Structures are given as C-alpha cells and as structure tokens.
Amino acid sequence: MSETVAEHWNAVYGRVGERSVSWFQEVPERSLAILDRLAVDTSRSIVDVGAGASRLVDELIQRGFGDITVLDVSGAGLDQARARLGDSGAEVRWTVHDVLTWHPGRTFEVWHDRAVFHFLTAAEDIERYLAVLDRATRPGALVLLGTFAEDGPTHCSGLPVSRYSATALAAAFDGYELVQSWREEHRTPADAVQAFTWVALRRP
Ligand SMILES: C[S@@+](CC[C@H](N)C(=O)[O-])C[C@H]1O[C@@H](n2cnc3c(N)ncnc32)[C@H](O)[C@@H]1O
C-alpha cells in the first residue's frame, strides 16, 4: 500500500527535530516583513496552511492576532508547535487536515502558505487547492505564498516540487491581483541556500 501524504509528513516530523528540517526558521522574517509591508492589522483573521511546526504562529500570537488558524496534514508537525507554545497557543485553532479536501466552514482575510503549494505538481491538485482557497476567502482577501524559485531545489523531503518565478506563481492564481513579489534566499540548518519566490496576491 502506498504511503499517504499524512504518513509521509508524520514520518518526516518523527525522524528529525523541529530545528533540523531544511525549512526551519528561527523567525519567519519574510512572512512578517510581508505582513508589515501590507499593514495587515492584528484584527484580521489569518490561516497558515501547511504550517507544520513553523514559528509564524508564535509571532502572530506575540503581535496580538486574535483569530489564528493553523492547518497541516501532519498532526506530528502541529504537535511540535503546540507543545512549544503551551498555554499561549490555547486560542489558536489547530486543524489536522489535508488542505486539498478542507471545508473550513468560514472564511479568512489572510491566507499564508510557505513551502506547501509547490508540492502540488498535478494540475488537478492545483485546481483542488484553488477551489479550497475560493471557499476559504472572500473578495479582498490577501494570499501570501512562498514557493521554491526557478533556481531553487527540485525536491524537498523526498518529494518533487514545482518551481516558480513570481510571474508564473501569480499566473497560477488566475484573476488574483499581484500586489508585490520578493525573492528570498533561505539558509537551511545544514547551511545550504534555497531560493524562494514570494508573492502577495489580492482576491478580486
Ligand atoms: C516544507 S514544510 C513547510 C512548513 C511551514 N509552512 C514552514 O514554513 O515552516 C511543508 C508542510 O506542508 C505540509 N503539507 C504537505 N502537504 C499538505 C497538504 N496536502 N495539506 C496540508 N498540509 C500539507 C507538511 O506536513 C509540512 O508541514
């Protein structure tokens, strides 16, 4: 039987500690800089899709965001963040679910995805992601996405990824307005450099 997406990622988080994964960031500087650049107020509802053990949630709590949802297909990844935060994470909505089949039952004003969308290499999976984004947001919502850049890695955690220029990434979200794009050179814990493309899009 083939490994499910959840089994794959639970095994990844079970094998190595939070600080050893290639995507680890002590502080998610780029994501925070984008929130600052776009003057995203702490009253905005925000979902971090495929958050894993990311420390973005710590920073959002620290800044005073009051409506934070964190979703990941891997319960093991989210557990690392929950354990780290303890009581201060009590108000966060922790959601173990595959983003491609998620029915949030509500909408968010800010959608954040760092290094998750690029794992979607089949056109039908991208369509499913866009359908979820459509039901999880309303016009005016901000969509903040970070993927490997055209000269970034071809694989991550044993899985192939799609690599994007800012133009190609924005084009994948047909009809969304490109607000701004950035390039980031992420340094991994093993001291490798990975090029990322970031875009901020606005839902029309
Ligand atoms: C490279 S990690 C990035 C984690 C986090 N966004 C960060 O920047 O630290 C990719 C994450 O996406 C999650 N993931 C992969 N496919 C997913 C899916 N279909 N639905 C939800 N989460 C998924 C994995 O479990 C993992 O936590």
Side-chain angles (χ1 to χ4, degrees), residues 59-154:
E59 299 290 334
L60 296 175
I61 293 168
Q62 181 89 26
R63 286 175 170 219
F65 279 82
D67 186 350
I68 306 169
T69 299
V70 170
L71 171 130
D72 203 284
V73 72
S74 167
L78 290 188
D79 283 349
Q80 291 183 2
R82 287 179 94 143
R84 185 180 67 235
L85 281 161
D87 289 347
S88 58
E91 301 298 317
V92 173
R93 293 178 187 85
W94 303 94
T95 309
V96 180
H97 214 286
D98 187 328
V99 66
L100 299 184
T101 55
W102 191 35
H103 288 264
R106 57 162 294 182
T107 56
F108 301 93
E109 292 164 295
V110 183
W111 173 282
H112 176 274
D113 169 339
R114 173 175 179 262
V116 186
F117 180 75
H118 64 195
F119 287 108
L120 308 179
T121 55
E124 61 264 32
D125 284 341
I126 292 177
E127 272 172 36
R128 290 161 80 199
Y129 184 101
L130 292 172
V132 176
L133 178 62
D134 194 55
R135 57 182 180 252
T137 57
R138 279 187 285 208
L142 286 171
V143 180
L144 315 179
L145 293 159
T147 67
F148 283 151
E150 282 173 301
D151 56 340
T154 58

